[in-house]
Amino acid sequence: MFLRSHLRDGGRVPASVQPYFFLSYAHTPRFGPGGPDPDMWVERLFRDLCNHIMALTDLPAGSEAGFMDREIRSGEGWSERLGAALATCRVFVPLFSPRYFASEMCGKEWFAFAQRAIQHGAASNQRAEAIVPALWVPVPPSQLPGPAERLQFNHNTFGERYVTDGLYGLIKLRGYAEQYEQAVYELARRIVRVAETVRLDPVRPLDYRLVPSAFGPAGGRHAGAPGGGPARTLHVTVAAASRHDLPEGRSPEYYGESALEWNPYHPVSRMPIAYVAEDLVKNLNYQTTMSSFDDEAGHFDSKQPPTRPEILIVDRWAVEDEQRRQRLAAFDQEHRPWINVVVPWNRYDHQSRAKEAELARRLEETLPVKMSQGRAACRAAANGVANMETLGQILPQVVEAAAQQFLRHAQVYLPAGNTHTERPRLLGPMGMSGPPVPPPAPFPPTVQRGHDGNDGFDGFGGATDSDDSTDTDRGDADDSES
């Protein structure tokens, strides 16, 4: 209760109630009724790590050396307690295993912590490497999702048997007791070293139930990729000026040598918005590319099927340049629902605040279609994202909407040869009589389909909004402190 009230009220969280690490693991189902709890071995690892960390640090008695979900007491809010621990822990320790990367819950935990590290990195202009992975069951590198594959971590320092058998193998086999102790001790040392070096600030907890998985949509993890599937890609385009072609009187402190160096949240953020967005999108298990709108203008062709979903990040000041405004207006007239618009807006930028109404009106007149189409989250993102925290919350929804539209409009590739194959028939009494069953119609006649062929079912397994929604309800993406 003390911890949650401090986070809710924006107060400083004492170091003594910040867990040194959060142990993220996939629950192993019990085999057979009345069998032993398979997660008891994870709990033993957790206790051993906590004992080492207490010995390696000056944490006072009663401090939280670590957190795992078995620590949640009966009657305590499960999602709230997890959210609070992820918002305050110093290091995130995922236990790698095939089951781990198939778990949506583990992906949510990873996303929540990594988003916090991204915000810390934006504020310091230095990426915060506060994830310390541990091998529970070894996973081939080719089966790691993108966020795990990108970690720069050398497991060999924990011992040869650790690399080949993982902590589960070491803890289960008595002959490897010494190797287990070595690996756990080295892991504890690494946790302490990272915690003391990075020093992540606590943040307000996310609603754990609503965050996406860092491993991609359930049932469709591409990664780098489990099962060998192709990696998902997304393109980020920035429509902004450089410091060399600013509107008259506009302060250059928010701009750099190119549009990709635009930093709307200066001075809170020291990292350009394009690179913050890139990190956030990669945390959703995408590979990313980036470009300036000025370089891309003229290369859009709505008659060609899309090759990837895209996000267009727009500076409202960009429409002060008439040529750029005309190119944006031409872009808006093209039918490309797989490209969503995000408009960062810093209300502590006094020049922007003074001209907010005028700039917002001009952008709406320039991009009337993009400003009003799609889901509520997309419309809110197009009408102004007030700070870094809100950007981290809304961008995953905008990316998901763009990805779904991409799946609807992308070119369909038929199997090699494109030859008709007769449907297989049963042999024997149930399949001997009658002619072959004709192939079914392309779509069930009872399904009402929209003009774009959408039957109301998205590519990730859920109902969706129409891609051409003309709902013009406005809703700035903001937080309570604005």
Side-chain angles (χ1 to χ4, degrees), residues 175-458:
Y176 295 150
E178 184 176 344
Q179 289 91 330
Y180 169 77
E181 293 295 343
Q182 176 191 352
V184 174
Y185 176 68
E186 292 297 335
L187 178 59
R189 289 183 60 197
R190 183 73 61 92
I191 291 170
V192 171
R193 184 160 63 249
V194 171
E196 297 296 340
T197 303
V198 178
R199 293 188 177 275
L200 287 183
D201 290 329
V203 298
R204 285 185 295 182
L206 296 174
D207 188 337
Y208 173 79
R209 296 163 297 183
L210 302 180
V211 301
S213 168
F215 308 148
R221 317 225 186 282
H222 291 67
R232 304 189 300 167
T233 62
L234 182 138
H235 188 72
V236 176
T237 305
V238 180
S242 72
R243 65 169 66 246
H244 304 295
D245 59 349
L246 292 172
E248 184 177 356
R250 176 62 172 147
S251 172
E253 64 181 318
Y254 299 95
Y255 300 87
E257 295 299 312
S258 72
L260 295 180
E261 295 183 21
W262 174 46
N263 181 8
Y265 298 124
H266 170 80
V268 173
S269 173
R270 297 172 59 190
M271 185 178 290
I273 188 67
Y275 297 99
V276 176
E278 179 186 38
D279 285 346
L280 289 169
V281 171
K282 284 182 175 179
N283 192 32
L284 293 166
N285 198 17
Y286 283 90
Q287 293 181 357
T288 58
T289 54
M290 297 190 298
S291 65
S292 161
F293 177 80
D294 290 349
D295 296 335
E296 291 286 330
H299 298 288
F300 295 106
D301 186 356
S302 64
K303 296 180 182 178
Q304 296 296 321
T307 59
R308 63 205 171 184
E310 302 185 33
I311 300 297
L312 175 62
I313 301 176
V314 181
D315 179 9
R316 284 175 178 167
W317 286 92
V319 298
E320 294 290 273
D321 180 284
E322 182 58 25
Q323 290 185 345
R324 188 181 294 112
R325 190 197 68 77
Q326 291 179 9
R327 291 196 297 269
L328 283 166
F331 159 80
D332 190 63
Q333 295 305 307
E334 300 287 347
H335 182 68
R336 286 186 290 268
W338 56 89
I339 304 179
N340 281 334
V341 170
V342 177
V343 180
W345 186 250
N346 183 357
R347 290 181 175 173
Y348 298 101
D349 173 354
H350 299 297
Q351 287 183 326
S352 294
R353 190 152 194 170
K355 295 190 67 173
E356 180 172 6
E358 177 186 347
L359 292 173
R361 176 183 56 79
R362 291 205 67 191
L363 186 60
E364 288 179 357
E365 292 172 351
T366 303
L367 300 173
V369 176
K370 286 296 182 186
M371 298 290 286
S372 61
Q373 77 175 13
R375 302 177 178 181
C378 297
R379 298 194 299 273
N383 282 293
V385 182
N387 52 50
M388 286 286 301
E389 183 179 356
T390 308
L391 177 70
Q393 295 170 359
I394 203 168
L395 188 63
Q397 301 175 60
V398 175
V399 167
E400 180 189 357
Q404 292 184 2
Q405 292 296 343
F406 165 72
L407 291 176
R408 292 172 184 162
H409 293 84
Q411 183 173 348
V412 176
Y413 293 93
L414 298 175
N418 191 23
T419 57
H420 174 71
T421 303
E422 183 178 325
R423 298 179 68 190
R425 289 179 292 159
L426 294 173
L427 298 178
M430 299 299 293
M432 290 298 292
S433 61
V437 179
F443 303 109
T446 57
V447 176
Q448 298 296 321
R449 301 183 64 81
H451 62 83
D452 64 348
N454 173 33
D455 61 0
F457 190 80
D458 67 45

